[in-house]
């Protein structure tokens, strides 16, 4: 019975699979050659901007002294020490060659979880959907690919997962660009259908919960950057714990 349950949760039999958050990484990592982590607002978008400028990104799950220690040990600049932060708009002047340590409780945490499972890891968003889809397909070489929308967290006890439509759209755009790579699971197919059906991505992101939250904090520019579709050729790949182009 356990093997049957495992096959259900791993979306066995499909080439392109999709599941949410940390549980999704756990479910798909052993069955997939590549996992694409999608955290549109804002980790994956920030990684895309940084790598697109010729920088490298060290993802860290913490925002405390452990992050500072890890950044120092790697010879990286910790986001927040200078003007560069998790906000994508703050990275538009990031110099090429910079190694930036970027902490995120969602996207970066999932990247670390996927890396420990021994799977190839890409950071995907709306900006680089086609580029990431192409690189994932190439890396997988006919083996299954998993796409992981990160989701957000409710401000409630235990910080439960809140599926965010920005990550659904980002994941769907990546899946839609991989349709020729093989058979889509129903989860992946539905995400692609949703992404293709949205006429005004910028409006959707600005008016969704995550976008309204960022705008209320004065970060409208970051929402606008995150809503740009296929403007980047970067396909950030995690190599020895660091995202490179």
């Amino acid at each position: 019975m356990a093997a049957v349950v495992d096959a259900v949760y791993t979306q066995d039999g499909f080439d392109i699979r999709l599941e949410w958050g940390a549980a999704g990484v756990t479910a798909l990592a052993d069955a997939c050659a590549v996992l694409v982590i999608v955290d549109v607002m804002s980790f994956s978008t920030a990684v895309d901007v940084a790598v697109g400028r010729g920088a490298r990104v060290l993802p860290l799950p913490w925002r405390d002294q452990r992050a500072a220690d890890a950044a120092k040990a790697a010879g990286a600049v910790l986001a927040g020490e200078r003007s560069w932060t998790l906000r994508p708009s703050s990275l538009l002047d990031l110099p090429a060659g910079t190694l930036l340590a970027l902490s995120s409780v969602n996207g970066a945490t999932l990247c670390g979880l996927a890396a420990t499972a021994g799977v190839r890891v890409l950071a995907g968003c709306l900006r680089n959907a086609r580029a990431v889809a192409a690189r994932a397909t190439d890396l997988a070489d006919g083996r299954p690919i998993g796409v992981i929308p990160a989701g957000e967290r409710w401000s409630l006890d235990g910080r439960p997962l809140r599926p965010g439509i920005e990550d659904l759209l980002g994941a769907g755009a990546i899946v839609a660009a991989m349709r020729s790579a093989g058979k889509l699971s129903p989860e992946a197919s539905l995400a692609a259908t949703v992404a293709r059906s949205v006429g005004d991505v910028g409006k959707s992101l600005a008016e969704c919960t995550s976008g309204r939250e960022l705008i209320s904090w004065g970060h409208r520019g970051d929402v606008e950057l995150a809503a740009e579709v296929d403007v980047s050729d970067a396909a950030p790949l995690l190599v020895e714990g660091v995202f490179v182009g």
Side-chain angles (χ1 to χ4, degrees):
M1 183 67 177
V4 174
V5 173
D6 288 345
V8 169
Y9 288 117
T10 61
Q11 299 174 26
D12 190 40
F14 296 101
D15 301 299
I16 312 299
R17 312 175 187 192
L18 182 146
E19 197 50 86
W20 286 83
V25 171
T26 300
L28 299 185
D30 288 344
C32 293
V34 179
L35 289 185
V36 181
I37 306 299
V38 183
D39 183 0
V40 169
M41 291 197 270
S42 295
F43 176 77
S44 295
T45 300
V47 173
D48 170 74
V49 171
V51 170
R53 291 190 55 80
R56 296 171 296 147
V57 175
L58 172 67
L60 298 173
W62 325 285
R63 295 178 179 173
D64 56 19
Q65 187 59 43
R66 289 172 295 178
D69 293 343
K72 182 177 180 180
V77 177
L78 181 64
E81 288 183 344
R82 302 183 189 176
S83 58
W84 308 313
T85 70
L86 186 60
R87 294 178 53 205
S89 62
S90 76
L91 305 177
L92 293 175
D93 65 349
L94 187 67
T98 301
L99 175 57
L100 179 69
L102 202 59
S103 63
S104 160
V105 296
N106 294 313
T109 300
L110 296 182
C111 290
L113 181 62
T116 60
V119 67
R120 306 300 296 272
V121 181
L122 291 164
C125 59
L126 286 162
R127 293 172 54 87
N128 64 8
R130 288 189 184 278
V132 165
R135 192 164 196 185
T137 302
D138 182 61
L139 289 170
D141 193 25
R143 294 167 293 170
I145 299 168
V147 181
I148 309 291
E152 297 292 343
R153 296 289 167 182
W154 287 104
S155 297
L156 302 170
D157 289 345
R159 302 281 289 168
L161 179 72
R162 172 176 66 77
I165 70 164
E166 70 278 9
D167 293 341
L168 178 63
L169 292 179
I174 293 166
V175 171
M178 288 194 291
R179 291 185 67 86
S180 62
K183 186 177 181 182
L184 308 184
S185 73
E187 291 84 355
S189 180
L190 181 60
T193 299
V194 170
R196 291 196 305 270
S197 72
V198 175
D200 191 337
V201 173
K203 185 174 186 291
S204 295
L205 261 64
E207 294 184 352
C208 75
T209 299
S210 300
R212 293 174 70 179
E213 181 180 55
L214 284 179
I215 290 169
S216 73
W217 294 341
H219 303 327
R220 181 178 292 275
D222 295 299
V223 177
E224 293 172 350
L225 276 172
E228 295 177 336
V229 181
D230 287 328
V231 298
S232 171
D233 293 327
L237 174 67
L238 197 65
V239 178
E240 296 182 352
V242 174
F243 276 111
V244 298

